[in-house]
Amino acid sequence: SQTIHQWPATLVQPVGSPLSLECTVEGTSNPNLYWYRQAAGRGLQLLFYSVGIGQISSEVPQNLSASRPQDRQFILSSKKLLLSDSGFYLCAWSVLGGTGGYTFGSGTRLTVV
Amino acid sequence: DAKTTQPPSMDCAEGRAANLPCNHSTISGNEYVYWYRQIHSQGPQYIIHGLKNNETNEMASLIITEDRKSSTLILPHATLRDTAVYYCIVNNAGNMLTFGGGTRLMVKP
């Protein structure tokens, strides 16, 4: 069966520090991968999506970047965190070209102090 | 993708059916209706989706009107653990899901 792993679960980082969040998927090949962010009390905002290795599309300009070094690995990064980067970060995957839904990871709650 | 309209909040008594409405009057012929829910501090969970026909699974039933301009998610016997934000999304298969505000369902004892 397919599983998605996201870590860490919680993270407190000072302003100006770097960030690296990792997401891996097991049990499927060539998935679509997504990074979403949810600010406190707000809805989910799509940040990045990827349809293949090295293929990254950004939905909104921001202080973040994403990379997909392997088929089932998706990384969210920042060189210097801002206070506004605080939020709940969620990774998700879906089947390429499929009509089924997304499967989300358990999320990382990031607090920038 | 077509936009959806959902009530911001609803209450339901434990053990009763929860009927969550969604309007999607601009849905196009190849767009599916998806339902997700998000329990506090967790990632969204896929519930069900459909194109034209009504659908049922172990979690819920999805009723889509004949003109496809609205749908209803039915939780047949709501429990306290069903308290969550429920998102209705219409999407062309293969496109990115865009989440709106959803309906905050509160199941009360």
Side-chain angles (χ1 to χ4, degrees):
Chain A
S1 63
Q2 301 93 352
T3 56
I4 180 168
H5 301 280
Q6 222 185 306
W7 65 91
T10 60
L11 191 60
V12 180
Q13 292 285 99
V15 168
S17 64
L19 173 73
S20 180
L21 302 180
E22 187 164 345
C23 172
T24 59
V25 180
E26 295 179 357
T28 188
S29 296
N30 198 24
N32 287 346
L33 295 172
Y34 312 86
W35 278 110
Y36 284 82
R37 177 173 62 195
Q38 188 171 35
R42 306 291 295 276
L44 284 89
Q45 179 187 35
L46 178 64
L47 301 176
F48 300 96
Y49 68 94
S50 172
V51 298
I53 296 174
Q55 301 179 61
I56 309 294
S57 296
S58 174
E59 287 295 296
V60 292
Q62 57 216 323
N63 184 41
L64 303 167
S65 62
S67 62
R68 185 170 177 175
Q70 301 180 42
D71 181 43
R72 289 170 288 179
Q73 184 184 29
F74 205 23
I75 298 172
L76 183 71
S77 304
S78 174
K79 293 182 179 179
K80 291 185 178 181
L81 284 169
L82 307 172
L83 288 174
S84 57
D85 292 323
S86 294
F88 190 40
Y89 288 82
L90 290 154
C91 179
W93 75 273
S94 68
V95 174
L96 182 65
T99 61
Y102 287 16
T103 300
F104 283 83
S106 54
T108 295
R109 189 162 301 282
L110 171 67
T111 303
V112 183
V113 296
Chain B
D1 294 340
K3 293 185 178 179
T4 62
T5 303
Q6 298 178 255
S9 64
M10 291 181 63
D11 290 343
C12 178
E14 187 179 19
R16 304 297 294 269
N19 297 287
L20 292 93
C22 180
N23 287 324
H24 31 79
S25 59
T26 60
I27 191 170
S28 59
N30 58 354
E31 288 184 313
Y32 289 76
V33 180
Y34 291 85
W35 282 85
Y36 287 76
R37 73 179 183 184
Q38 186 176 22
I39 296 170
H40 183 63
S41 295
Q42 297 182 22
Q45 177 189 24
Y46 164 82
I47 300 173
I48 199 168
H49 77 285
L51 183 62
K52 295 180 181 179
N53 300 323
N54 297 337
E55 302 288 344
T56 295
N57 62 22
E58 65 278 5
M59 291 183 66
S61 295
L62 173 60
I63 308 299
I64 303 174
T65 58
E66 192 169 347
D67 63 7
R68 302 206 329 122
K69 293 184 177 182
S70 66
S71 61
T72 301
L73 179 75
I74 301 173
L75 308 178
H77 306 285
T79 70
L80 298 179
R81 288 177 294 180
D82 291 323
T83 292
V85 177
Y86 287 78
Y87 297 99
C88 169
I89 303 166
V90 291
N91 189 56
N92 192 341
N95 285 356
M96 286 69 66
L97 292 181
T98 301
F99 288 78
T103 295
R104 186 171 298 277
L105 175 69
M106 180 71 70
V107 181
K108 298 183 175 180

